[in-house]
Amino acid sequence: MTREQYILATQQNNLPRAENAQLYPVGIYGWRKRCLYFFVLLLLVTMIVNLAMTIWILKVMNFTVDGMGNLRVTKKGIRLEGISEFLLPLYVKEIHSRKDSPLVLQSDRNVTVNARNHMGQLTGQLTVGADAVEAQCKRFEVRASEDGRVLFSADEDEITIGAEKLKVTGTEGAVFGHSVETPHIRAEPSQDLRLESPTRSLIMEAPRGVQVSAAAGDFKAACRKELHLQSTEGEIFLNADTIRLGNLPTGSFSSSSPSSSHSRQTVYELCVCPNGKLYLSPAGAGSTCQSGSNICLWS
């Protein structure tokens, strides 16, 4: 026996041996181990499903470095291609379309554009509905595209039309509930100008005079009942080469000469009743107005 074997043999014999020593296993065993494996497997499956869903969403939504689907993020802002639907309010500064296509805003009910101030108060609103187009603002203006002049403007006090010509093509014309102020009313070339009140009176007033002239035609004034020409301070002046008064009543005249009853009467005398009525009386050697004075009694 060598020296080393002897030393080892004597050391093992001298070590105290504990009786009934308990051994404790190290690690996870039993149902704990099975639960741990189950949770690890469940986490792995969840990660795989999430990864697959993420790849599917990226594929469907067409996510790229520049944007998502028809949405592209550029240096100037956001660019949308095709048809876009917004379910919630959209707040933007400017909306532009492409140079070769129009901008279309479409809704199943109406399209409303609101303008607000820095305090959030509504200052302007434009609503395009199925029945009407409504604009609510302090002042509404329509300007020309070339020089920017105002073609139409409306506010609470007045409505201004700045176009060179206002044309109404309706069969019933234009209906105004109140007065109309204009320095000139003119019909189109080769067309008649007609001022008509179907159920009431037509009144033309001016403090410095009313002038009606027909340079190349006739001037006619017709009525059903009476036509009054009245001047409170001046006179009524008729200036023409020929003045005719038609449909005047004719008085009777009895002549003493028998031959005069058979001759045709061609000359009459114009007589005036005290109330101003005019009538004709056959002319004679003297005045015959007294003979026909019974016409004045009938009036």
Side-chain angles (χ1 to χ4, degrees), residues 181-202:
E181 298 180 3
T182 175
H184 190 193
I185 299 178
R186 182 181 61 184
E188 291 184 352
S190 303
Q191 298 293 332
D192 296 334
L193 177 63
R194 185 173 182 177
L195 302 178
E196 181 181 0
S197 178
T199 58
R200 292 295 184 269
S201 302
L202 178 62

Side-chain angles (χ1 to χ4, degrees), residues 113-287:
V113 180
N114 295 332
R116 300 180 182 273
N117 55 13
H118 64 282
M119 300 179 61
Q121 298 176 352
L122 184 65
T123 57
Q125 185 180 66
L126 177 63
T127 304
V128 181
D131 300 330
V133 178
E134 299 179 358
Q136 180 180 357
C137 55
K138 292 183 179 180
R139 184 177 179 85
F140 180 76
E141 292 184 356
V142 178
R143 295 181 176 270
S145 58
E146 297 180 355
D147 52 0
R149 59 189 178 91
V150 178
L151 299 179
F152 177 85
S153 65
D155 54 16
E156 296 181 357
D157 298 330
E158 64 179 3
I159 296 177
T160 304
I161 299 177
E164 296 181 357
K165 182 186 296 185
L166 175 61
K167 188 175 183 180
V168 181
T169 59
T171 56
E172 298 295 332
V175 180
F176 300 95
H178 298 281
S179 62
V180 178
E181 298 180 3
T182 175
H184 190 193
I185 299 178
R186 182 181 61 184
E188 291 184 352
S190 303
Q191 298 293 332
D192 296 334
L193 177 63
R194 185 173 182 177
L195 302 178
E196 181 181 0
S197 178
T199 58
R200 292 295 184 269
S201 302
L202 178 62
I203 301 175
M204 300 175 61
E205 296 181 354
R208 300 186 62 180
V210 177
Q211 182 178 358
V212 180
S213 63
D218 300 335
F219 174 73
K220 297 180 180 180
C223 62
R224 183 178 179 180
K225 293 183 178 181
E226 297 179 355
L227 177 63
H228 296 272
L229 299 177
Q230 181 180 0
S231 177
T232 56
E233 296 182 359
E235 61 183 5
I236 298 176
F237 180 69
L238 301 177
N239 184 11
D241 295 337
T242 303
I243 298 176
R244 297 180 181 179
L245 300 176
N247 296 329
L248 292 178
T250 303
S252 60
F253 172 68
S254 299
S255 177
S256 59
S257 174
S259 61
S260 60
S261 60
H262 299 284
S263 62
R264 184 179 179 181
Q265 186 69 34
T266 58
V267 180
Y268 292 88
E269 182 180 1
L270 181 61
C271 303
V272 182
C273 296
N275 59 359
K277 182 178 181 180
L278 301 178
Y279 68 95
L280 297 178
S281 178
S287 178

Side-chain angles (χ1 to χ4, degrees), residues 68-74 77-86 90 92 95-98 101 103:
M68 177 186 66
N70 296 330
L71 180 64
R72 295 290 183 269
V73 180
T74 61
I78 298 176
R79 180 177 179 179
L80 288 175
E81 299 288 345
I83 300 175
S84 303
E85 296 183 2
F86 299 94
L90 176 64
V92 295
I95 299 178
H96 296 277
S97 64
R98 295 189 304 178
S101 63
L103 177 63

Side-chain angles (χ1 to χ4, degrees), residues 251-253 269 271-272 274 279 281-282 286-297:
S252 60
F253 172 68
E269 182 180 1
C271 303
V272 182
Y279 68 95
S281 178
S287 178
T288 59
C289 292
Q290 294 295 332
S291 300
S293 61
N294 54 352
I295 296 178
C296 298
L297 298 177

